[in-house]
Amino acid sequence: MSFEENVRRVVPYVPGEQPNRPDMIKLNTNECPYPPSPRVEEALRGLNADSLRLYPDPAAAELTNALAARYQVKPEQVFVGVGSDDVLAMSFLTFFNSEKPILFPDITYSFYDVWADLFRIPFQTCPLREDFTICAEDYLKPNGGIVIPNPNAPTGLFEPVANLERIIAGNPDSVVIIDEAYVDFGAKSVLPLVERYENLLVVQTFSKSRAMAGARIGFAIGQPKLISYLNDAKFSFNSYTMSQTSLAVGRAAVEDEAYFQKITGKIIKTRERAKKELKALGFTFPDSKANFIFATHERLSAKEIFDSLRERDIYVRYFNKPRIDNYLRITVGTDEQMEALFAALREIIAGQGTAL
């Protein structure tokens, strides 16, 4: 008998490529193209290195209070973690313990099935329609829980709140997680529904709209009962998930609302202009409400374009998966980065993929 017979083996999530090359244009992991709030830099300068010998506040009160104030909920309705991935994984572990399968879309964030496999949670995927929209009826059947990203990834499509409320209301015996990693780029949040539905958990992140992917901060908002269950699981796993640094810079970012509105507005404006440019180049795409565009070309294959861009040190995301293997997910960068992308695409398309 080998020890490997007792090893828990999973197929891991594969993140987007993280190249580190001079003058590259990185549009493949949906990072914000702008720096965090200036208040974040001030908070970093104000940190006392000597304090790092002490454990951080296990309740993360500095950050949870700031988030509660920003989103007009009680502090006991807020849970924070090391990025929304940590919050989501802890939520899977906490709430998805039924023998019934959990439900999520077939085209979605590819970490969901990884967590399900890791925690031995049965799951079923619900196929999106041909236009990549969700069919609410698919989620109105016996299940052990539901997780839906809104806007969806990698499609960027936003599902109307009324459709999601139908799913939430139709599953009073299951926890429904709405993953709103991209909600700040023009979509509408389901957060107002939290007060009406005790089974709703809303998860958001600092990695996109708050320009802090490197700080690893995510949070969930729900009714106090749900949050208390999450905290019980967290304290049974790791009491000190948030560093003093993350707590300080997270609070600083939340409290600078003007800067938050400024950079999200810039990204939305650039995204809408990019849609026009890409359409003129022969691309079609769902109407994204995220900080990326999910595009396919009328003549050239996605893989061909992906490879041609990569040789020019322009990185976008390609998914070699059923139904979406002819699409590219293009993060919205600065206006200058997008102009360089458009110029490269014009060259590639003019040469029909041969101008390398």
mmCIF file of all heavy atoms in Angstrom, residues 59-96:
data_model
loop_
_atom_site.group_PDB
_atom_site.id
_atom_site.type_symbol
_atom_site.label_atom_id
_atom_site.label_comp_id
_atom_site.label_asym_id
_atom_site.label_seq_id
_atom_site.Cartn_x
_atom_site.Cartn_y
_atom_site.Cartn_z
ATOM 1 N N ALA A 59 -11.142 39.575 14.523
ATOM 2 C CA ALA A 59 -12.472 40.000 14.072
ATOM 3 C C ALA A 59 -12.395 40.952 12.878
ATOM 4 O O ALA A 59 -13.429 41.271 12.279
ATOM 5 C CB ALA A 59 -13.225 40.667 15.215
ATOM 6 N N ALA A 60 -11.191 41.422 12.558
ATOM 7 C CA ALA A 60 -11.001 42.347 11.435
ATOM 8 C C ALA A 60 -11.947 43.542 11.521
ATOM 9 O O ALA A 60 -12.473 44.022 10.517
ATOM 10 C CB ALA A 60 -11.176 41.618 10.103
ATOM 11 N N ALA A 61 -12.145 44.052 12.742
ATOM 12 C CA ALA A 61 -13.168 45.080 12.971
ATOM 13 C C ALA A 61 -12.904 46.354 12.177
ATOM 14 O O ALA A 61 -13.855 46.998 11.692
ATOM 15 C CB ALA A 61 -13.244 45.393 14.465
ATOM 16 N N GLU A 62 -11.656 46.729 12.026
ATOM 17 C CA GLU A 62 -11.326 47.957 11.291
ATOM 18 C C GLU A 62 -11.907 47.927 9.885
ATOM 19 O O GLU A 62 -12.476 48.921 9.402
ATOM 20 C CB GLU A 62 -9.804 48.112 11.234
ATOM 21 C CG GLU A 62 -9.314 49.316 10.461
ATOM 22 C CD GLU A 62 -7.797 49.437 10.441
ATOM 23 O OE1 GLU A 62 -7.118 48.490 10.924
ATOM 24 O OE2 GLU A 62 -7.299 50.455 9.946
ATOM 25 N N LEU A 63 -11.791 46.782 9.226
ATOM 26 C CA LEU A 63 -12.270 46.659 7.856
ATOM 27 C C LEU A 63 -13.765 46.356 7.793
ATOM 28 O O LEU A 63 -14.485 46.934 6.974
ATOM 29 C CB LEU A 63 -11.478 45.574 7.125
ATOM 30 C CG LEU A 63 -11.825 45.319 5.664
ATOM 31 C CD1 LEU A 63 -11.748 46.604 4.843
ATOM 32 C CD2 LEU A 63 -10.895 44.259 5.077
ATOM 33 N N THR A 64 -14.241 45.472 8.659
ATOM 34 C CA THR A 64 -15.671 45.142 8.615
ATOM 35 C C THR A 64 -16.525 46.356 8.962
ATOM 36 O O THR A 64 -17.586 46.565 8.366
ATOM 37 C CB THR A 64 -16.000 43.971 9.562
ATOM 38 O OG1 THR A 64 -15.568 44.277 10.880
ATOM 39 C CG2 THR A 64 -15.331 42.690 9.105
ATOM 40 N N ASN A 65 -16.073 47.178 9.888
ATOM 41 C CA ASN A 65 -16.827 48.395 10.217
ATOM 42 C C ASN A 65 -16.866 49.368 9.041
ATOM 43 O O ASN A 65 -17.903 49.998 8.782
ATOM 44 C CB ASN A 65 -16.218 49.071 11.450
ATOM 45 C CG ASN A 65 -16.477 48.305 12.728
ATOM 46 O OD1 ASN A 65 -17.375 47.478 12.803
ATOM 47 N ND2 ASN A 65 -15.677 48.566 13.758
ATOM 48 N N ALA A 66 -15.737 49.500 8.350
ATOM 49 C CA ALA A 66 -15.696 50.394 7.188
ATOM 50 C C ALA A 66 -16.623 49.894 6.080
ATOM 51 O O ALA A 66 -17.339 50.683 5.449
ATOM 52 C CB ALA A 66 -14.268 50.518 6.673
ATOM 53 N N LEU A 67 -16.622 48.593 5.848
ATOM 54 C CA LEU A 67 -17.493 48.022 4.831
ATOM 55 C C LEU A 67 -18.966 48.145 5.226
ATOM 56 O O LEU A 67 -19.825 48.443 4.391
ATOM 57 C CB LEU A 67 -17.141 46.555 4.595
ATOM 58 C CG LEU A 67 -15.843 46.311 3.813
ATOM 59 C CD1 LEU A 67 -15.390 44.870 3.949
ATOM 60 C CD2 LEU A 67 -16.037 46.663 2.339
ATOM 61 N N ALA A 68 -19.254 47.929 6.508
ATOM 62 C CA ALA A 68 -20.635 48.056 6.981
ATOM 63 C C ALA A 68 -21.151 49.475 6.768
ATOM 64 O O ALA A 68 -22.292 49.680 6.336
ATOM 65 C CB ALA A 68 -20.723 47.670 8.454
ATOM 66 N N ALA A 69 -20.300 50.458 7.045
ATOM 67 C CA ALA A 69 -20.695 51.845 6.839
ATOM 68 C C ALA A 69 -20.905 52.146 5.353
ATOM 69 O O ALA A 69 -21.875 52.818 4.974
ATOM 70 C CB ALA A 69 -19.640 52.777 7.428
ATOM 71 N N ARG A 70 -20.008 51.634 4.516
ATOM 72 C CA ARG A 70 -20.103 51.906 3.066
ATOM 73 C C ARG A 70 -21.354 51.289 2.463
ATOM 74 O O ARG A 70 -22.026 51.897 1.610
ATOM 75 C CB ARG A 70 -18.842 51.358 2.379
ATOM 76 C CG ARG A 70 -18.912 51.208 0.864
ATOM 77 C CD ARG A 70 -19.115 52.526 0.150
ATOM 78 N NE ARG A 70 -19.039 52.394 -1.285
ATOM 79 C CZ ARG A 70 -20.018 51.946 -2.078
ATOM 80 N NH1 ARG A 70 -21.175 51.584 -1.569
ATOM 81 N NH2 ARG A 70 -19.840 51.878 -3.385
ATOM 82 N N TYR A 71 -21.707 50.082 2.895
ATOM 83 C CA TYR A 71 -22.832 49.383 2.282
ATOM 84 C C TYR A 71 -24.098 49.432 3.136
ATOM 85 O O TYR A 71 -25.077 48.763 2.828
ATOM 86 C CB TYR A 71 -22.441 47.933 1.965
ATOM 87 C CG TYR A 71 -21.407 47.870 0.865
ATOM 88 C CD1 TYR A 71 -20.056 47.714 1.153
ATOM 89 C CD2 TYR A 71 -21.779 48.023 -0.464
ATOM 90 C CE1 TYR A 71 -19.099 47.685 0.151
ATOM 91 C CE2 TYR A 71 -20.830 48.003 -1.480
ATOM 92 C CZ TYR A 71 -19.494 47.833 -1.168
ATOM 93 O OH TYR A 71 -18.556 47.827 -2.167
ATOM 94 N N GLN A 72 -24.051 50.220 4.181
ATOM 95 C CA GLN A 72 -25.224 50.506 5.021
ATOM 96 C C GLN A 72 -25.853 49.225 5.579
ATOM 97 O O GLN A 72 -27.061 49.002 5.474
ATOM 98 C CB GLN A 72 -26.253 51.330 4.238
ATOM 99 C CG GLN A 72 -25.709 52.686 3.806
ATOM 100 C CD GLN A 72 -26.733 53.541 3.080
ATOM 101 O OE1 GLN A 72 -27.528 53.042 2.298
ATOM 102 N NE2 GLN A 72 -26.727 54.837 3.364
ATOM 103 N N VAL A 73 -24.991 48.404 6.166
ATOM 104 C CA VAL A 73 -25.436 47.201 6.874
ATOM 105 C C VAL A 73 -24.780 47.198 8.250
ATOM 106 O O VAL A 73 -23.957 48.065 8.578
ATOM 107 C CB VAL A 73 -25.068 45.915 6.102
ATOM 108 C CG1 VAL A 73 -25.797 45.854 4.773
ATOM 109 C CG2 VAL A 73 -23.560 45.802 5.891
ATOM 110 N N LYS A 74 -25.125 46.229 9.065
ATOM 111 C CA LYS A 74 -24.516 46.109 10.386
ATOM 112 C C LYS A 74 -23.178 45.384 10.283
ATOM 113 O O LYS A 74 -23.008 44.527 9.415
ATOM 114 C CB LYS A 74 -25.452 45.331 11.311
ATOM 115 C CG LYS A 74 -26.824 45.969 11.500
ATOM 116 C CD LYS A 74 -27.745 45.027 12.246
ATOM 117 C CE LYS A 74 -29.161 45.610 12.339
ATOM 118 N NZ LYS A 74 -30.115 44.655 12.980
ATOM 119 N N PRO A 75 -22.226 45.694 11.164
ATOM 120 C CA PRO A 75 -20.934 44.991 11.120
ATOM 121 C C PRO A 75 -21.072 43.478 11.203
ATOM 122 O O PRO A 75 -20.287 42.743 10.580
ATOM 123 C CB PRO A 75 -20.187 45.561 12.324
ATOM 124 C CG PRO A 75 -20.774 46.924 12.526
ATOM 125 C CD PRO A 75 -22.222 46.783 12.167
ATOM 126 N N GLU A 76 -22.068 43.001 11.942
ATOM 127 C CA GLU A 76 -22.248 41.553 12.063
ATOM 128 C C GLU A 76 -22.826 40.930 10.790
ATOM 129 O O GLU A 76 -23.026 39.702 10.732
ATOM 130 C CB GLU A 76 -23.144 41.214 13.260
ATOM 131 C CG GLU A 76 -24.496 41.884 13.258
ATOM 132 C CD GLU A 76 -24.530 43.185 14.053
ATOM 133 O OE1 GLU A 76 -23.499 43.900 14.080
ATOM 134 O OE2 GLU A 76 -25.592 43.471 14.654
ATOM 135 N N GLN A 77 -23.042 41.747 9.763
ATOM 136 C CA GLN A 77 -23.480 41.233 8.469
ATOM 137 C C GLN A 77 -22.333 41.132 7.465
ATOM 138 O O GLN A 77 -22.558 40.800 6.300
ATOM 139 C CB GLN A 77 -24.577 42.126 7.881
ATOM 140 C CG GLN A 77 -25.901 42.070 8.625
ATOM 141 C CD GLN A 77 -26.955 42.927 7.960
ATOM 142 O OE1 GLN A 77 -27.176 44.073 8.344
ATOM 143 N NE2 GLN A 77 -27.612 42.381 6.947
ATOM 144 N N VAL A 78 -21.107 41.411 7.923
ATOM 145 C CA VAL A 78 -19.948 41.462 7.026
ATOM 146 C C VAL A 78 -18.920 40.411 7.436
ATOM 147 O O VAL A 78 -18.582 40.276 8.611
ATOM 148 C CB VAL A 78 -19.300 42.860 7.044
ATOM 149 C CG1 VAL A 78 -18.105 42.903 6.087
ATOM 150 C CG2 VAL A 78 -20.311 43.935 6.685
ATOM 151 N N PHE A 79 -18.409 39.697 6.448
ATOM 152 C CA PHE A 79 -17.334 38.720 6.630
ATOM 153 C C PHE A 79 -16.226 39.074 5.656
ATOM 154 O O PHE A 79 -16.493 39.354 4.486
ATOM 155 C CB PHE A 79 -17.852 37.312 6.345
ATOM 156 C CG PHE A 79 -16.813 36.231 6.412
ATOM 157 C CD1 PHE A 79 -16.517 35.610 7.611
ATOM 158 C CD2 PHE A 79 -16.137 35.825 5.263
ATOM 159 C CE1 PHE A 79 -15.562 34.601 7.674
ATOM 160 C CE2 PHE A 79 -15.178 34.825 5.314
ATOM 161 C CZ PHE A 79 -14.895 34.210 6.528
ATOM 162 N N VAL A 80 -14.975 39.083 6.111
ATOM 163 C CA VAL A 80 -13.862 39.404 5.219
ATOM 164 C C VAL A 80 -12.900 38.227 5.135
ATOM 165 O O VAL A 80 -12.803 37.415 6.050
ATOM 166 C CB VAL A 80 -13.106 40.676 5.667
ATOM 167 C CG1 VAL A 80 -14.013 41.893 5.609
ATOM 168 C CG2 VAL A 80 -12.520 40.513 7.058
ATOM 169 N N GLY A 81 -12.199 38.154 4.010
ATOM 170 C CA GLY A 81 -11.255 37.067 3.807
ATOM 171 C C GLY A 81 -10.160 37.455 2.842
ATOM 172 O O GLY A 81 -10.123 38.575 2.318
ATOM 173 N N VAL A 82 -9.267 36.507 2.591
ATOM 174 C CA VAL A 82 -8.078 36.756 1.778
ATOM 175 C C VAL A 82 -8.456 36.650 0.295
ATOM 176 O O VAL A 82 -8.231 35.638 -0.368
ATOM 177 C CB VAL A 82 -6.959 35.754 2.139
ATOM 178 C CG1 VAL A 82 -5.668 36.111 1.400
ATOM 179 C CG2 VAL A 82 -6.728 35.741 3.642
ATOM 180 N N GLY A 83 -9.066 37.710 -0.198
ATOM 181 C CA GLY A 83 -9.605 37.713 -1.550
ATOM 182 C C GLY A 83 -10.963 37.033 -1.568
ATOM 183 O O GLY A 83 -11.311 36.257 -0.669
ATOM 184 N N SER A 84 -11.755 37.298 -2.600
ATOM 185 C CA SER A 84 -13.064 36.656 -2.671
ATOM 186 C C SER A 84 -12.935 35.156 -2.875
ATOM 187 O O SER A 84 -13.848 34.401 -2.522
ATOM 188 C CB SER A 84 -13.917 37.284 -3.783
ATOM 189 O OG SER A 84 -13.315 37.133 -5.043
ATOM 190 N N ASP A 85 -11.793 34.682 -3.401
ATOM 191 C CA ASP A 85 -11.594 33.234 -3.513
ATOM 192 C C ASP A 85 -11.629 32.571 -2.144
ATOM 193 O O ASP A 85 -12.233 31.506 -1.963
ATOM 194 C CB ASP A 85 -10.260 32.931 -4.196
ATOM 195 C CG ASP A 85 -10.289 33.216 -5.688
ATOM 196 O OD1 ASP A 85 -11.385 33.318 -6.254
ATOM 197 O OD2 ASP A 85 -9.202 33.334 -6.286
ATOM 198 N N ASP A 86 -10.973 33.181 -1.170
ATOM 199 C CA ASP A 86 -10.988 32.658 0.192
ATOM 200 C C ASP A 86 -12.394 32.697 0.777
ATOM 201 O O ASP A 86 -12.853 31.737 1.408
ATOM 202 C CB ASP A 86 -10.024 33.477 1.057
ATOM 203 C CG ASP A 86 -9.997 33.040 2.512
ATOM 204 O OD1 ASP A 86 -9.808 31.844 2.770
ATOM 205 O OD2 ASP A 86 -10.156 33.901 3.391
ATOM 206 N N VAL A 87 -13.094 33.800 0.549
ATOM 207 C CA VAL A 87 -14.465 33.941 1.060
ATOM 208 C C VAL A 87 -15.377 32.896 0.421
ATOM 209 O O VAL A 87 -16.186 32.253 1.101
ATOM 210 C CB VAL A 87 -14.989 35.362 0.791
ATOM 211 C CG1 VAL A 87 -16.449 35.491 1.198
ATOM 212 C CG2 VAL A 87 -14.140 36.391 1.537
ATOM 213 N N LEU A 88 -15.244 32.705 -0.886
ATOM 214 C CA LEU A 88 -16.074 31.723 -1.583
ATOM 215 C C LEU A 88 -15.747 30.302 -1.141
ATOM 216 O O LEU A 88 -16.655 29.488 -0.902
ATOM 217 C CB LEU A 88 -15.898 31.866 -3.089
ATOM 218 C CG LEU A 88 -16.558 33.094 -3.716
ATOM 219 C CD1 LEU A 88 -15.984 33.369 -5.100
ATOM 220 C CD2 LEU A 88 -18.067 32.894 -3.813
ATOM 221 N N ALA A 89 -14.467 29.992 -1.030
ATOM 222 C CA ALA A 89 -14.082 28.645 -0.594
ATOM 223 C C ALA A 89 -14.616 28.360 0.803
ATOM 224 O O ALA A 89 -15.134 27.260 1.075
ATOM 225 C CB ALA A 89 -12.561 28.500 -0.630
ATOM 226 N N MET A 90 -14.515 29.332 1.702
ATOM 227 C CA MET A 90 -15.039 29.149 3.052
ATOM 228 C C MET A 90 -16.560 29.009 3.030
ATOM 229 O O MET A 90 -17.133 28.253 3.819
ATOM 230 C CB MET A 90 -14.623 30.333 3.922
ATOM 231 C CG MET A 90 -14.867 30.126 5.411
ATOM 232 S SD MET A 90 -13.906 28.774 6.119
ATOM 233 C CE MET A 90 -12.230 29.374 5.907
ATOM 234 N N SER A 91 -17.200 29.685 2.112
ATOM 235 C CA SER A 91 -18.651 29.578 1.986
ATOM 236 C C SER A 91 -19.058 28.199 1.469
ATOM 237 O O SER A 91 -20.042 27.614 1.926
ATOM 238 C CB SER A 91 -19.181 30.665 1.050
ATOM 239 O OG SER A 91 -18.879 31.958 1.549
ATOM 240 N N PHE A 92 -18.314 27.675 0.493
ATOM 241 C CA PHE A 92 -18.580 26.312 0.022
ATOM 242 C C PHE A 92 -18.465 25.337 1.187
ATOM 243 O O PHE A 92 -19.321 24.472 1.383
ATOM 244 C CB PHE A 92 -17.582 25.929 -1.076
ATOM 245 C CG PHE A 92 -17.976 26.299 -2.471
ATOM 246 C CD1 PHE A 92 -18.377 27.594 -2.788
ATOM 247 C CD2 PHE A 92 -17.913 25.369 -3.484
ATOM 248 C CE1 PHE A 92 -18.726 27.944 -4.076
ATOM 249 C CE2 PHE A 92 -18.263 25.694 -4.791
ATOM 250 C CZ PHE A 92 -18.662 26.990 -5.089
ATOM 251 N N LEU A 93 -17.379 25.460 1.945
ATOM 252 C CA LEU A 93 -17.119 24.555 3.059
ATOM 253 C C LEU A 93 -18.208 24.655 4.121
ATOM 254 O O LEU A 93 -18.609 23.653 4.718
ATOM 255 C CB LEU A 93 -15.756 24.881 3.667
ATOM 256 C CG LEU A 93 -15.265 24.001 4.818
ATOM 257 C CD1 LEU A 93 -15.012 22.582 4.334
ATOM 258 C CD2 LEU A 93 -13.989 24.588 5.409
ATOM 259 N N THR A 94 -18.706 25.854 4.349
ATOM 260 C CA THR A 94 -19.676 26.103 5.415
ATOM 261 C C THR A 94 -21.094 25.718 5.026
ATOM 262 O O THR A 94 -21.803 25.071 5.812
ATOM 263 C CB THR A 94 -19.648 27.595 5.813
ATOM 264 O OG1 THR A 94 -18.325 27.966 6.184
ATOM 265 C CG2 THR A 94 -20.595 27.866 6.977
ATOM 266 N N PHE A 95 -21.525 26.100 3.836
ATOM 267 C CA PHE A 95 -22.945 26.021 3.500
ATOM 268 C C PHE A 95 -23.338 24.861 2.590
ATOM 269 O O PHE A 95 -24.518 24.521 2.518
ATOM 270 C CB PHE A 95 -23.390 27.336 2.851
ATOM 271 C CG PHE A 95 -23.190 28.538 3.726
ATOM 272 C CD1 PHE A 95 -22.384 29.595 3.317
ATOM 273 C CD2 PHE A 95 -23.804 28.617 4.968
ATOM 274 C CE1 PHE A 95 -22.197 30.701 4.125
ATOM 275 C CE2 PHE A 95 -23.620 29.719 5.788
ATOM 276 C CZ PHE A 95 -22.814 30.761 5.368
ATOM 277 N N PHE A 96 -22.376 24.275 1.903
ATOM 278 C CA PHE A 96 -22.719 23.243 0.918
ATOM 279 C C PHE A 96 -22.378 21.858 1.463
ATOM 280 O O PHE A 96 -21.381 21.247 1.071
ATOM 281 C CB PHE A 96 -21.996 23.518 -0.403
ATOM 282 C CG PHE A 96 -22.402 24.809 -1.075
ATOM 283 C CD1 PHE A 96 -21.581 25.376 -2.044
ATOM 284 C CD2 PHE A 96 -23.586 25.461 -0.751
ATOM 285 C CE1 PHE A 96 -21.943 26.557 -2.688
ATOM 286 C CE2 PHE A 96 -23.957 26.647 -1.381
ATOM 287 C CZ PHE A 96 -23.131 27.194 -2.356
#
